[in-house]
């Protein structure tokens, strides 16, 4: 297979400089780019029995620029093997970037990548504008060849009023002998919609089926990075809207994430909504994508960042961007449930268990500390039906720094707060969200991996994710209550060999 000069250059660059990115400056089990900048997960899929993950990638600096696709694979979602960059912007139709997309294993054993090719053209007004089209590349799990038939979905395949400037992020899947793809688009009302396409051979002809779901200016504007699948008897659409305005404590402003759950009307190719909710209630989570494991689990991974805070980078780091730890999804009572994939349990060591600890004020517990931990804290009022004002867990602490999770039973809110994590910019650091009332009882699971905290509330009813910027030596953990509570603490160190 002939590699283009641009791809060769990217591969040589990452092979030469990548090894200088010191491992101790990376998280232990959260995926990071080989070197340089990373945003969305792409092509998260099973190929020949392994999980492949591609990513939006600029190897040359820690800033976003003309996008390549980076590439890793894993067998356990914990240890990620680095592979050479998969795609470079080396064709006329993608010369300004190989944007987000997905992957599928073909029946003949090859791997198909579907991505958005971006080319900028100068409009009559003088403005430089994108032309976004959907393209294919085929490969063997390492090297990929772009198809001569590219682009396979372009402006002619749009419904009336659909924008050819904002038309991106195809998610492909196969059902029987038919391939489907959902693609984000900006319709005539200027907001967002998710279009459905299908193809029999997938290599040349794609037919437009209809609008799977539309934003109608209700949840943000352009809907990016769609994913659509069946789960626990319902249909789920994930998307990441731009320019959201805040709605209560459910949706925050800016780039957000939305999960639509409902029934699928196949005749009309339309998702009939029953519930709309945020996917992650924290600070750093965007552009999630899912795969189905051979044992039938729906697993989601996301960019553990947000565009708005992406200028805030750890000093001296030669890479920027982490993925979340992969999460197993479910639907329960019409809502999305998410928990870390069970593979994490194999990394648990040194169990520390405390039961029925009475807490009033501030305390630490012997041997409860660390920055690579999996800790579940269950809290209930000390007096039956007697409410306390709040309960806090402070992590990544050292006297100067800390990151806090606070639960307030009287208003059923959880707050994550990284104001004092050592963040060197004045960015959003606090997020509040509603949790389900349980008479003041709550279960908080925290997964820390050096520079991040992922919180799972009440067995995955809610997740809230935050990057932290604290020096790894700040590893103290304390518990605090205004009022009296009883708590159980189960804590493991996470060891990745
Ligand atoms: C989402 C996104 C996608 C696009 C990619 C470009 O974060 O804006 O819509 O394909 O990033 O890097």
């Amino acid at each position: 297979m002939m590699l283009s000069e641009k791809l060769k250059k990217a591969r040589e660059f990452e092979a030469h400089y990548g090894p200088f990115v010191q491992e101790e400056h990376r998280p232990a089990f959260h995926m990071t780019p080989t070197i340089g900048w990373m945003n969305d997960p792409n092509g998260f899929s099973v190929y020949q029995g392994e999980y492949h993950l591609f990513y939006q990638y600029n190897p040359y600096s820690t800033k976003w620029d003309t996008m390549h696709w980076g590439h890793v694979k894993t067998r356990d979602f914990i240890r990620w093997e680095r592979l050479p960059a998969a795609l470079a912007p080396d064709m006329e139709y993608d010369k300004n970037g190989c944007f987000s997309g997905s992957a599928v294993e073909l029946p003949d054993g090859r791997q198909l990548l579907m991505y958005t090719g971006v080319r900028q053209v100068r409009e009559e007004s003088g403005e430089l504008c994108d032309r976004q089209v959907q393209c294919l590349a085929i490969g063997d799990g390492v090297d990929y060849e772009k198809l001569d038939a590219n682009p396979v979905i372009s402006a002619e395949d749009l419904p009336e009023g659909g924008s050819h400037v904002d038309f991106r992020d195809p998610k492909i899947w196969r059902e029987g002998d038919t391939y489907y793809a959902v693609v984000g688009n900006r319709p005539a009302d200027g907001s967002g919609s998710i279009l459905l396409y299908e193809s029999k051979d997938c290599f040349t002809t794609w037919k437009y089926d209809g609008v799977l779901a539309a934003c109608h200016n209700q949840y943000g504007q352009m809907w990016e990075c769609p994913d659509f699948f069946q789960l626990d008897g319902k249909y789920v659409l994930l998307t990441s809207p731009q320019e959201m305005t805040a709605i209560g404590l459910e949706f925050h402003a800016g780039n957000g994430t939305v999960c639509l759950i409902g029934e699928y009307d196949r005749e009309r190719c339309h998702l009939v909504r029953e519930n709309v909710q945020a996917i992650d209630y924290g600070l750093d989570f965007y552009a999630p994508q899912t795969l189905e494991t051979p044992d039938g689990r729906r697993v989601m991974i996301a960019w553990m960042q947000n565009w708005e805070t992406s200028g805030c980078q750890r000093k001296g780091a030669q890479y920027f961007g982490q993925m979340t730890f992969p999460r197993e999804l479910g639907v329960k009572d019409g809502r999305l449930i998410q928990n870390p994939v069970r593979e994490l349990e194999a990394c648990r060591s040194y169990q520390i268990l405390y039961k029925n600890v009475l807490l009033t004020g501030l305390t630490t517990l012997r041997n409860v500390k660390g920055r690579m931990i999996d800790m579940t804290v269950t809290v209930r009022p000390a007096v039956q039906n007697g409410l306390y004002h709040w309960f806090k867990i402070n992590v990544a602490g050292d006297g100067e720094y800390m990151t806090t999770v606070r639960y307030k039973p009287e208003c059923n809110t959880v707050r994550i707060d990284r104001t004092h994590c050592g963040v060197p910019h004045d960015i959003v650091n606090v997020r509040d969200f509603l949790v389900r009332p349980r008479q003041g009882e709550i279960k908080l699971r925290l997964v820390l991996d050096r520079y991040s905290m992922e919180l799972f509330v009440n067995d995955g009813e809610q997740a809230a994710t935050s990057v932290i910027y604290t020096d790894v030596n700040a590893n103290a953990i304390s518990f605090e209550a205004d009022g009296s509570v009883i708590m159980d603490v189960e804590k493991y160190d996470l060891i990745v060999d």
Side-chain angles (χ1 to χ4, degrees):
M1 197 178 292
M2 279 283 289
L3 299 183
S4 71
E5 287 310 311
K6 276 207 175 142
L7 185 60
K8 272 197 244 164
K9 187 176 152 220
R11 287 183 169 193
E12 277 160 24
F13 186 88
E14 57 179 14
H16 186 80
Y17 296 105
F20 293 108
V21 185
Q22 288 162 341
E23 287 307 313
E24 66 267 28
H25 291 151
R26 294 185 189 269
F29 52 93
H30 283 71
M31 212 291 278
T32 50
T34 304
I35 188 167
W37 162 278
M38 172 175 83
N39 56 290
D40 314 353
N42 295 155
F44 189 42
S45 57
V46 181
Y47 179 64
Q48 296 190 349
E50 295 178 305
Y51 304 114
H52 281 246
L53 175 66
F54 304 81
Y55 52 91
Q56 288 288 282
Y57 185 34
N58 174 26
Y60 305 113
S61 96
T62 57
K63 301 278 178 294
W64 187 92
D65 209 326
T66 317
M67 283 291 104
H68 295 57
W69 274 34
H71 191 186
V72 290
K73 66 177 181 178
T74 181
R75 284 176 182 278
D76 58 8
F77 299 118
I78 308 264
R79 296 163 192 86
W80 300 88
E81 182 187 332
R82 296 191 182 282
L83 295 166
L87 298 177
D90 49 18
M91 303 302 262
E92 181 56 27
Y93 53 78
D94 65 17
K95 66 176 182 199
N96 295 107
C98 299
F99 274 20
S100 284
S102 49
V104 73
E105 181 164 0
L106 294 172
D108 66 9
R110 292 180 299 167
Q111 191 178 31
L112 182 76
L113 311 183
M114 189 176 207
Y115 70 98
T116 299
V118 179
R119 173 176 64 101
Q120 291 190 330
V121 296
R122 200 164 290 283
E123 304 273 16
E124 270 172 19
S125 63
E127 210 187 335
L128 258 188
C129 278
D130 279 6
R131 287 289 176 276
Q132 303 190 342
V133 290
Q134 317 319 320
C135 308
L136 298 172
I138 294 198
D140 58 2
V142 179
D143 296 321
Y144 300 86
E145 204 162 344
K146 294 177 185 172
L147 261 58
D148 289 341
N150 282 342
V152 292
I153 305 178
S154 51
E156 306 84 75
D157 307 302
L158 279 166
E160 206 182 321
S163 159
H164 53 208
V165 176
D166 289 303
F167 183 29
R168 58 181 175 270
D169 311 333
K171 172 76 199 265
I172 188 174
W173 73 96
R174 195 178 66 227
E175 272 173 46
D177 59 359
T178 308
Y179 291 85
Y180 293 91
V182 279
V183 188
N185 185 227
R186 193 187 287 274
D189 71 5
S191 64
S193 65
I194 305 301
L195 307 181
L196 181 72
Y197 290 85
E198 71 173 271
S199 172
K200 282 282 172 211
D201 72 358
C202 92
F203 299 124
T204 48
T205 319
W206 284 79
K207 174 171 117 3
Y208 167 68
D209 282 342
V211 179
L212 182 68
C215 169
H216 301 303
N217 286 298
Q218 196 183 4
Y219 300 105
Q221 299 294 308
M222 170 64 188
W223 279 4
E224 302 188 308
C225 302
D227 196 348
F228 182 56
F229 47 87
Q230 200 178 1
L231 187 64
D232 296 335
K234 292 285 171 194
Y235 281 85
V236 179
L237 174 66
L238 308 180
T239 184
S240 299
Q242 295 178 309
E243 301 165 75
M244 290 193 87
T245 48
I247 306 178
L249 293 180
E250 189 64 28
F251 296 105
H252 61 79
N255 286 79
T257 54
V258 172
C259 169
L260 299 105
I261 301 179
E263 298 295 341
Y264 181 42
D265 179 344
R266 258 181 205 275
E267 289 282 288
R268 292 168 53 228
C269 298
H270 190 70
L271 177 73
V272 183
R273 293 175 197 182
E274 289 168 358
N275 179 37
V276 181
Q277 64 167 102
I279 303 175
D280 187 284
Y281 293 84
L283 295 156
D284 298 297
F285 184 95
Y286 198 65
Q289 198 173 77
T290 71
L291 59 70
E292 193 180 352
T293 60
D295 60 1
R297 292 177 287 156
R298 181 58 62 173
V299 172
M300 172 178 77
I301 195 166
W303 186 35
M304 193 158 60
Q305 258 310 326
N306 197 306
W307 283 106
E308 241 114 337
T309 52
S310 63
C312 182
Q313 308 196 352
R314 218 154 38 77
K315 263 204 199 103
Q318 292 148 291
Y319 75 87
F320 175 75
Q322 302 178 55
M323 294 299 174
T324 62
F325 186 66
R327 301 174 185 175
E328 288 179 27
L329 300 184
V331 173
K332 204 172 118 201
D333 303 332
R335 288 188 54 87
L336 189 72
I337 302 292
Q338 46 192 314
N339 284 296
V341 290
R342 60 197 68 168
E343 282 81 349
L344 189 64
E345 284 156 36
C347 300
R348 287 173 163 182
S349 1
Y350 307 115
Q351 187 198 50
I352 305 288
L353 205 56
Y354 286 90
K355 285 253 178 226
N356 296 318
V357 178
L358 175 64
L359 171 69
T360 312
L362 179 73
T363 195
T364 54
L365 294 175
R366 213 167 94 85
N367 290 327
V368 176
K369 60 178 174 13
R371 282 287 284 276
M372 279 159 55
I373 60 159
D374 184 353
M375 176 171 78
T376 301
V377 181
T378 311
V379 185
R380 48 197 173 272
V383 193
Q384 219 189 359
N385 300 324
L387 282 190
Y388 48 97
H389 289 296
W390 49 254
F391 167 78
K392 279 183 192 168
I393 308 173
N394 308 306
V395 300
D398 67 353
E400 191 175 353
Y401 296 126
M402 68 175 173
T403 294
T404 297
V405 175
R406 184 196 70 183
Y407 172 52
K408 252 185 150 177
E410 55 203 12
C411 39
N412 288 312
T413 52
V414 167
R415 163 176 291 190
I416 58 168
D417 184 350
R418 62 152 181 222
T419 309
H420 299 106
C421 79
V423 53
H425 291 267
D426 189 20
I427 57 172
V428 178
N429 291 315
V430 180
R431 203 75 89 199
D432 287 294
F433 56 96
L434 282 168
V435 296
R436 286 200 172 175
R438 290 188 177 182
Q439 273 90 40
E441 182 166 321
I442 195 164
K443 195 167 171 185
L444 303 165
R445 179 175 177 193
L446 272 74
V447 175
L448 303 190
D449 184 9
R450 296 197 173 121
Y451 301 110
S452 65
M453 174 178 82
E454 287 174 89
L455 166 69
F456 301 88
V457 180
N458 291 339
D459 300 303
E461 283 181 353
Q462 255 123 352
T465 302
S466 175
V467 164
I468 56 174
Y469 298 81
T470 326
D471 186 277
V472 281
N473 297 315
N475 67 353
I477 294 176
S478 59
F479 305 88
E480 216 176 331
D482 182 0
S484 292
V485 299
I486 303 277
M487 62 174 184
D488 301 332
V489 178
E490 181 180 357
K491 180 240 162 189
Y492 301 87
D493 287 335
L494 292 170
I495 298 187
V496 181
D497 38 49

PDB file of all heavy atoms in Angstrom, residues 37 39-40 56 64 67 99-100 116 168-169 224-225 242 255 286-287 303 307, ligand 1:
ATOM      1  N   TRP A  37      -1.881  17.055  20.066  1.00  0.00           N
ATOM      2  CA  TRP A  37      -3.290  17.341  20.410  1.00  0.00           C
ATOM      3  C   TRP A  37      -4.214  16.174  20.067  1.00  0.00           C
ATOM      4  O   TRP A  37      -4.078  15.553  19.008  1.00  0.00           O
ATOM      5  CB  TRP A  37      -3.741  18.563  19.620  1.00  0.00           C
ATOM      6  CG  TRP A  37      -5.218  18.733  19.534  1.00  0.00           C
ATOM      7  CD1 TRP A  37      -6.078  18.112  18.666  1.00  0.00           C
ATOM      8  CD2 TRP A  37      -6.035  19.580  20.348  1.00  0.00           C
ATOM      9  NE1 TRP A  37      -7.376  18.528  18.888  1.00  0.00           N
ATOM     10  CE2 TRP A  37      -7.367  19.436  19.920  1.00  0.00           C
ATOM     11  CE3 TRP A  37      -5.754  20.469  21.407  1.00  0.00           C
ATOM     12  CZ2 TRP A  37      -8.427  20.138  20.496  1.00  0.00           C
ATOM     13  CZ3 TRP A  37      -6.822  21.166  21.981  1.00  0.00           C
ATOM     14  CH2 TRP A  37      -8.132  20.999  21.530  1.00  0.00           C
ATOM     15  N   ASN A  39      -8.615  15.349  20.114  1.00  0.00           N
ATOM     16  CA  ASN A  39      -9.997  15.570  20.560  1.00  0.00           C
ATOM     17  C   ASN A  39     -10.813  14.300  20.333  1.00  0.00           C
ATOM     18  O   ASN A  39     -10.397  13.237  20.838  1.00  0.00           O
ATOM     19  CB  ASN A  39     -10.613  16.873  20.058  1.00  0.00           C
ATOM     20  CG  ASN A  39     -10.645  17.114  18.564  1.00  0.00           C
ATOM     21  OD1 ASN A  39      -9.619  17.337  17.953  1.00  0.00           O
ATOM     22  ND2 ASN A  39     -11.817  17.095  17.965  1.00  0.00           N
ATOM     23  N   ASP A  40     -11.921  14.355  19.660  1.00  0.00           N
ATOM     24  CA  ASP A  40     -12.915  13.255  19.666  1.00  0.00           C
ATOM     25  C   ASP A  40     -12.372  11.837  19.467  1.00  0.00           C
ATOM     26  O   ASP A  40     -11.504  11.610  18.611  1.00  0.00           O
ATOM     27  CB  ASP A  40     -13.915  13.426  18.513  1.00  0.00           C
ATOM     28  CG  ASP A  40     -14.445  14.817  18.376  1.00  0.00           C
ATOM     29  OD1 ASP A  40     -14.174  15.657  19.232  1.00  0.00           O
ATOM     30  OD2 ASP A  40     -15.148  15.060  17.375  1.00  0.00           O
ATOM     31  N   GLN A  56      -9.173  12.199  16.810  1.00  0.00           N
ATOM     32  CA  GLN A  56      -8.847  13.454  16.137  1.00  0.00           C
ATOM     33  C   GLN A  56      -7.488  13.925  16.657  1.00  0.00           C
ATOM     34  O   GLN A  56      -7.302  14.080  17.871  1.00  0.00           O
ATOM     35  CB  GLN A  56      -9.940  14.490  16.443  1.00  0.00           C
ATOM     36  CG  GLN A  56     -11.253  14.210  15.736  1.00  0.00           C
ATOM     37  CD  GLN A  56     -11.146  14.497  14.261  1.00  0.00           C
ATOM     38  OE1 GLN A  56     -11.183  15.645  13.836  1.00  0.00           O
ATOM     39  NE2 GLN A  56     -10.999  13.456  13.451  1.00  0.00           N
ATOM     40  N   TRP A  64      -5.205  22.435  18.418  1.00  0.00           N
ATOM     41  CA  TRP A  64      -5.988  21.882  17.309  1.00  0.00           C
ATOM     42  C   TRP A  64      -5.471  22.467  15.993  1.00  0.00           C
ATOM     43  O   TRP A  64      -5.158  23.648  15.906  1.00  0.00           O
ATOM     44  CB  TRP A  64      -7.471  22.250  17.490  1.00  0.00           C
ATOM     45  CG  TRP A  64      -8.382  21.578  16.497  1.00  0.00           C
ATOM     46  CD1 TRP A  64      -9.026  20.391  16.664  1.00  0.00           C
ATOM     47  CD2 TRP A  64      -8.761  22.053  15.194  1.00  0.00           C
ATOM     48  NE1 TRP A  64      -9.767  20.094  15.555  1.00  0.00           N
ATOM     49  CE2 TRP A  64      -9.625  21.081  14.630  1.00  0.00           C
ATOM     50  CE3 TRP A  64      -8.443  23.174  14.444  1.00  0.00           C
ATOM     51  CZ2 TRP A  64     -10.195  21.223  13.358  1.00  0.00           C
ATOM     52  CZ3 TRP A  64      -9.006  23.311  13.166  1.00  0.00           C
ATOM     53  CH2 TRP A  64      -9.865  22.341  12.645  1.00  0.00           C
ATOM     54  N   MET A  67      -6.737  18.218  10.927  1.00  0.00           N
ATOM     55  CA  MET A  67      -6.869  16.955  11.638  1.00  0.00           C
ATOM     56  C   MET A  67      -6.373  15.722  10.884  1.00  0.00           C
ATOM     57  O   MET A  67      -6.661  15.525   9.704  1.00  0.00           O
ATOM     58  CB  MET A  67      -8.345  16.717  12.005  1.00  0.00           C
ATOM     59  CG  MET A  67      -8.812  17.534  13.190  1.00  0.00           C
ATOM     60  SD  MET A  67      -8.078  17.006  14.747  1.00  0.00           S
ATOM     61  CE  MET A  67      -6.891  18.261  15.017  1.00  0.00           C
ATOM     62  N   PHE A  99     -11.964  14.823   9.560  1.00  0.00           N
ATOM     63  CA  PHE A  99     -12.743  15.039  10.779  1.00  0.00           C
ATOM     64  C   PHE A  99     -13.306  13.708  11.288  1.00  0.00           C
ATOM     65  O   PHE A  99     -13.085  12.649  10.713  1.00  0.00           O
ATOM     66  CB  PHE A  99     -13.862  16.053  10.505  1.00  0.00           C
ATOM     67  CG  PHE A  99     -13.429  17.487  10.661  1.00  0.00           C
ATOM     68  CD1 PHE A  99     -12.091  17.860  10.606  1.00  0.00           C
ATOM     69  CD2 PHE A  99     -14.372  18.498  10.868  1.00  0.00           C
ATOM     70  CE1 PHE A  99     -11.699  19.187  10.753  1.00  0.00           C
ATOM     71  CE2 PHE A  99     -14.000  19.827  11.022  1.00  0.00           C
ATOM     72  CZ  PHE A  99     -12.667  20.178  10.959  1.00  0.00           C
ATOM     73  N   SER A 100     -14.113  13.823  12.335  1.00  0.00           N
ATOM     74  CA  SER A 100     -14.560  12.634  13.071  1.00  0.00           C
ATOM     75  C   SER A 100     -15.348  11.642  12.228  1.00  0.00           C
ATOM     76  O   SER A 100     -15.991  12.006  11.243  1.00  0.00           O
ATOM     77  CB  SER A 100     -15.406  13.053  14.269  1.00  0.00           C
ATOM     78  OG  SER A 100     -14.531  13.526  15.264  1.00  0.00           O
ATOM     79  N   THR A 116     -15.296  12.369   7.900  1.00  0.00           N
ATOM     80  CA  THR A 116     -15.660  13.586   7.179  1.00  0.00           C
ATOM     81  C   THR A 116     -14.410  14.233   6.598  1.00  0.00           C
ATOM     82  O   THR A 116     -13.455  14.522   7.334  1.00  0.00           O
ATOM     83  CB  THR A 116     -16.365  14.583   8.136  1.00  0.00           C
ATOM     84  OG1 THR A 116     -17.538  13.963   8.623  1.00  0.00           O
ATOM     85  CG2 THR A 116     -16.725  15.868   7.418  1.00  0.00           C
ATOM     86  N   ARG A 168     -21.281  16.491   9.165  1.00  0.00           N
ATOM     87  CA  ARG A 168     -20.099  15.727   9.587  1.00  0.00           C
ATOM     88  C   ARG A 168     -20.369  14.627  10.609  1.00  0.00           C
ATOM     89  O   ARG A 168     -21.434  14.501  11.152  1.00  0.00           O
ATOM     90  CB  ARG A 168     -19.043  16.690  10.147  1.00  0.00           C
ATOM     91  CG  ARG A 168     -19.513  17.535  11.314  1.00  0.00           C
ATOM     92  CD  ARG A 168     -18.389  18.473  11.764  1.00  0.00           C
ATOM     93  NE  ARG A 168     -18.830  19.384  12.802  1.00  0.00           N
ATOM     94  CZ  ARG A 168     -19.361  20.578  12.578  1.00  0.00           C
ATOM     95  NH1 ARG A 168     -19.515  21.018  11.356  1.00  0.00           N
ATOM     96  NH2 ARG A 168     -19.742  21.343  13.598  1.00  0.00           N
ATOM     97  N   ASP A 169     -19.292  13.885  10.861  1.00  0.00           N
ATOM     98  CA  ASP A 169     -19.170  12.893  11.937  1.00  0.00           C
ATOM     99  C   ASP A 169     -20.039  11.649  11.713  1.00  0.00           C
ATOM    100  O   ASP A 169     -20.858  11.287  12.570  1.00  0.00           O
ATOM    101  CB  ASP A 169     -19.491  13.531  13.306  1.00  0.00           C
ATOM    102  CG  ASP A 169     -18.739  14.833  13.538  1.00  0.00           C
ATOM    103  OD1 ASP A 169     -17.656  14.981  12.946  1.00  0.00           O
ATOM    104  OD2 ASP A 169     -19.227  15.689  14.289  1.00  0.00           O
ATOM    105  N   GLU A 224     -23.291  17.636  16.776  1.00  0.00           N
ATOM    106  CA  GLU A 224     -22.094  16.940  16.311  1.00  0.00           C
ATOM    107  C   GLU A 224     -22.087  15.497  16.822  1.00  0.00           C
ATOM    108  O   GLU A 224     -22.765  15.140  17.775  1.00  0.00           O
ATOM    109  CB  GLU A 224     -20.840  17.659  16.832  1.00  0.00           C
ATOM    110  CG  GLU A 224     -20.754  19.121  16.393  1.00  0.00           C
ATOM    111  CD  GLU A 224     -19.419  19.753  16.766  1.00  0.00           C
ATOM    112  OE1 GLU A 224     -19.013  19.681  17.931  1.00  0.00           O
ATOM    113  OE2 GLU A 224     -18.783  20.328  15.872  1.00  0.00           O
ATOM    114  N   CYS A 225     -21.262  14.699  16.187  1.00  0.00           N
ATOM    115  CA  CYS A 225     -20.902  13.356  16.672  1.00  0.00           C
ATOM    116  C   CYS A 225     -22.087  12.485  17.128  1.00  0.00           C
ATOM    117  O   CYS A 225     -22.159  12.091  18.306  1.00  0.00           O
ATOM    118  CB  CYS A 225     -19.892  13.480  17.808  1.00  0.00           C
ATOM    119  SG  CYS A 225     -18.418  14.341  17.308  1.00  0.00           S
ATOM    120  N   GLN A 242     -23.491  22.043  19.813  1.00  0.00           N
ATOM    121  CA  GLN A 242     -22.695  23.252  20.024  1.00  0.00           C
ATOM    122  C   GLN A 242     -23.629  24.351  20.508  1.00  0.00           C
ATOM    123  O   GLN A 242     -24.839  24.303  20.244  1.00  0.00           O
ATOM    124  CB  GLN A 242     -22.068  23.705  18.708  1.00  0.00           C
ATOM    125  CG  GLN A 242     -21.049  22.730  18.151  1.00  0.00           C
ATOM    126  CD  GLN A 242     -20.481  23.203  16.826  1.00  0.00           C
ATOM    127  OE1 GLN A 242     -21.227  23.540  15.915  1.00  0.00           O
ATOM    128  NE2 GLN A 242     -19.166  23.227  16.708  1.00  0.00           N
ATOM    129  N   ASN A 255     -20.629  23.805  24.648  1.00  0.00           N
ATOM    130  CA  ASN A 255     -20.661  22.466  24.045  1.00  0.00           C
ATOM    131  C   ASN A 255     -21.153  21.480  25.095  1.00  0.00           C
ATOM    132  O   ASN A 255     -20.506  21.306  26.127  1.00  0.00           O
ATOM    133  CB  ASN A 255     -19.263  22.038  23.600  1.00  0.00           C
ATOM    134  CG  ASN A 255     -18.817  22.766  22.355  1.00  0.00           C
ATOM    135  OD1 ASN A 255     -18.397  23.911  22.418  1.00  0.00           O
ATOM    136  ND2 ASN A 255     -18.924  22.101  21.225  1.00  0.00           N
ATOM    137  N   TYR A 286     -17.127  15.164  26.100  1.00  0.00           N
ATOM    138  CA  TYR A 286     -17.678  15.598  24.813  1.00  0.00           C
ATOM    139  C   TYR A 286     -17.509  14.498  23.768  1.00  0.00           C
ATOM    140  O   TYR A 286     -16.610  13.656  23.868  1.00  0.00           O
ATOM    141  CB  TYR A 286     -16.976  16.882  24.339  1.00  0.00           C
ATOM    142  CG  TYR A 286     -17.771  17.615  23.283  1.00  0.00           C
ATOM    143  CD1 TYR A 286     -19.013  18.162  23.583  1.00  0.00           C
ATOM    144  CD2 TYR A 286     -17.297  17.739  21.984  1.00  0.00           C
ATOM    145  CE1 TYR A 286     -19.765  18.818  22.617  1.00  0.00           C
ATOM    146  CE2 TYR A 286     -18.042  18.404  21.006  1.00  0.00           C
ATOM    147  CZ  TYR A 286     -19.275  18.935  21.333  1.00  0.00           C
ATOM    148  OH  TYR A 286     -20.015  19.573  20.378  1.00  0.00           O
ATOM    149  N   ALA A 287     -18.379  14.534  22.772  1.00  0.00           N
ATOM    150  CA  ALA A 287     -18.258  13.700  21.572  1.00  0.00           C
ATOM    151  C   ALA A 287     -18.153  12.195  21.863  1.00  0.00           C
ATOM    152  O   ALA A 287     -17.303  11.518  21.290  1.00  0.00           O
ATOM    153  CB  ALA A 287     -17.047  14.150  20.739  1.00  0.00           C
ATOM    154  N   TRP A 303     -14.277  12.117  24.688  1.00  0.00           N
ATOM    155  CA  TRP A 303     -13.162  13.046  24.895  1.00  0.00           C
ATOM    156  C   TRP A 303     -13.323  13.639  26.288  1.00  0.00           C
ATOM    157  O   TRP A 303     -14.383  14.200  26.594  1.00  0.00           O
ATOM    158  CB  TRP A 303     -13.231  14.154  23.835  1.00  0.00           C
ATOM    159  CG  TRP A 303     -12.088  15.104  23.824  1.00  0.00           C
ATOM    160  CD1 TRP A 303     -10.786  14.828  24.082  1.00  0.00           C
ATOM    161  CD2 TRP A 303     -12.150  16.506  23.502  1.00  0.00           C
ATOM    162  NE1 TRP A 303     -10.029  15.973  23.927  1.00  0.00           N
ATOM    163  CE2 TRP A 303     -10.836  17.002  23.585  1.00  0.00           C
ATOM    164  CE3 TRP A 303     -13.189  17.375  23.141  1.00  0.00           C
ATOM    165  CZ2 TRP A 303     -10.535  18.343  23.321  1.00  0.00           C
ATOM    166  CZ3 TRP A 303     -12.887  18.704  22.879  1.00  0.00           C
ATOM    167  CH2 TRP A 303     -11.573  19.178  22.965  1.00  0.00           C
ATOM    168  N   TRP A 307     -14.439  21.919  24.665  1.00  0.00           N
ATOM    169  CA  TRP A 307     -13.795  22.915  23.791  1.00  0.00           C
ATOM    170  C   TRP A 307     -13.480  24.197  24.545  1.00  0.00           C
ATOM    171  O   TRP A 307     -12.415  24.768  24.382  1.00  0.00           O
ATOM    172  CB  TRP A 307     -14.676  23.224  22.582  1.00  0.00           C
ATOM    173  CG  TRP A 307     -14.583  22.127  21.572  1.00  0.00           C
ATOM    174  CD1 TRP A 307     -15.528  21.176  21.306  1.00  0.00           C
ATOM    175  CD2 TRP A 307     -13.464  21.830  20.726  1.00  0.00           C
ATOM    176  NE1 TRP A 307     -15.056  20.316  20.340  1.00  0.00           N
ATOM    177  CE2 TRP A 307     -13.804  20.697  19.964  1.00  0.00           C
ATOM    178  CE3 TRP A 307     -12.214  22.420  20.536  1.00  0.00           C
ATOM    179  CZ2 TRP A 307     -12.942  20.138  19.028  1.00  0.00           C
ATOM    180  CZ3 TRP A 307     -11.344  21.863  19.606  1.00  0.00           C
ATOM    181  CH2 TRP A 307     -11.722  20.734  18.865  1.00  0.00           C
TER     182      TRP A 307
HETATM  183  C1  LIG B   1     -16.372  17.732  17.723  1.00  0.00           C
HETATM  184  C2  LIG B   1     -15.825  18.180  16.376  1.00  0.00           C
HETATM  185  C3  LIG B   1     -16.446  17.359  15.260  1.00  0.00           C
HETATM  186  C4  LIG B   1     -15.416  17.430  14.188  1.00  0.00           C
HETATM  187  C5  LIG B   1     -14.133  17.408  14.979  1.00  0.00           C
HETATM  188  C6  LIG B   1     -13.017  18.216  14.376  1.00  0.00           C
HETATM  189  O1  LIG B   1     -15.534  17.951  18.789  1.00  0.00           O
HETATM  190  O2  LIG B   1     -16.058  19.553  16.198  1.00  0.00           O
HETATM  191  O3  LIG B   1     -17.729  17.788  14.875  1.00  0.00           O
HETATM  192  O4  LIG B   1     -15.512  16.373  13.305  1.00  0.00           O
HETATM  193  O5  LIG B   1     -14.437  17.930  16.254  1.00  0.00           O
HETATM  194  O6  LIG B   1     -11.815  17.981  15.031  1.00  0.00           O
END
